Amino acid sequence: MNKLLKNVLILCCLSFAINSSIAQSSNATYIKAGKLFDSEKGKILTDYIIKIENNRITEVGKKVVVPENAKIIDLSAYTVLPGLIDGHTHLMTLDNLNDDTPMADKLLFEGDALRVLRGSKRAKSWLENGFTTVRDLGDSGAFLDVALKRAINEGTVVGPRMFVSGPIIISEGGQVPGLVKSYREVISDEYTIVRSVDDAINAVRVHVNYGADIIKICANNSPNNTSLTIDEMKAIVKMAHRYDKKVTAHATNDLAVWEAVTAGVDGIEHGYQISDSTLTLMANKGVVLVPTDLSRPLFHKLYDIIDFKWNREKQMQRAKDRYQDRLQRAIKAGVTIVTGSDNYLDLEMPQGEAAKNILVAYHEEGMKPLQILSSSTHLSAKFMNKENELGIIKEGAFADIIAVKGDIENDFSNTMFNIVFVMKNGEIYVEE
Ligand SMILES: [Zn+2]
């Protein structure tokens, strides 16, 4: 027999044997959902059943047939949601608020091994708080995010699904102002520094090669005072899109946002100051906004830690008013809001719990609970072109499912902290 034909026959037999063994051992789990959040339509459904086989959802409906002796998870007293997505994390960073030089400590004293071990503990706290997916956007050393993602995917450590950027692509100096000349090289351990259009093009190739899922740039380098040029950003966007990667830009002021959007980025992170005309441009080009705002409880915690007493309420109110004004103008302009905590400060609580406060912040700023949940699930998945697999409970999606106890529409903040169930990829991590 022809050798090639023989190999094909062996493969066929093998795959038949594997398929029939899967069919025989099909071990479905059924979740009874008292309330179910439809993230696509942004509404609550009642009394649904979700069928899960291996790591996927295979059926969702009111009339799903549950065989006798089937494994049933009864969440009929709770609200069941797709696993949440935190669109802006830095799992490999935790800055002490009373440390004047946290970046120097990270770069000079922590080292890769300790840094990624600490990151793995933080990753777990996100999962335990209901975030089954995160987009980790730099501040993670030289591709330590890729390493952590691999460790999670192979089951070595427990954490959420990670979509990672690798180092932030940035102009001279990174986000570390005032470093003396002999130590400037240290910055390139943390960032990918770009000094020309050619550098920009190659940076994207290097990142794609190392396994980045998304490209993160700094349109302006706040707190540093330099920025990428529009031509450098255009080159990055063109190259990233060629490899089917989205580009998202740290941009804090209106000029930085306008330049990044003009260069063609897909997302804007922070955007604390954006004019109405720039918001209209974002809406027209389908650029999403990831507002990384602080909640009132986190403001208080932060002020306590740094022992800040002077005019505390007034200072906080001023910041909250600015956040709210920009968020509401963005929604009014038709810009898609995607949830992102940007939590990298040590607020003396598990980091995933601090990150959850982003939902509270949006609620304080006038977004409705179901609107916030759509931004934290379906809209975030859509930004990653994963809307059929993540952030949604429907046939074919990954079995990333959580449940909360309480009244989601009338007691949103408390309910979202009352996590009673977390499943990722068909495996249960929290069950109360
Ligand atoms: Zn950030």
Side-chain angles (χ1 to χ4, degrees), residues 88 90 216 270 342:
H88 187 135
H90 301 287
K216 162 83 179 289
H270 318 299
D342 192 27

Side-chain angles (χ1 to χ4, degrees), residues 45 47 92 119-120 132 150 156 183 196 201 212 227 282 299 339 358 403 410 430:
L45 310 167
D47 299 322
M92 245 67 69
S120 69
T132 52
R150 282 180 63 183
T156 300
Y183 293 109
S196 66
I201 291 168
S227 52
M282 285 176 71
F299 260 115
T339 299
I358 191 62
N410 297 306
V430 176

Side-chain angles (χ1 to χ4, degrees), residues 88-90 137 139 216 250 270 292 342 344:
H88 187 135
T89 64
H90 301 287
L137 300 181
D139 289 319
K216 162 83 179 289
H250 163 110
H270 318 299
T292 55
D342 192 27
Y344 60 90

Side-chain angles (χ1 to χ4, degrees), residues 6 21 46 76 119 140 178 202 229 239 250 264 273 285 320-321 369-370 375 385 388 393:
K6 196 173 151 190
S21 86
T46 51
S76 49
S140 49
N202 201 47
T229 66
M239 207 62 187
H250 163 110
Q273 299 133 26
K285 295 182 99 176
K320 288 300 292 185
D321 286 347
L370 302 188
S375 286
N385 294 333
N388 292 316
I393 295 180

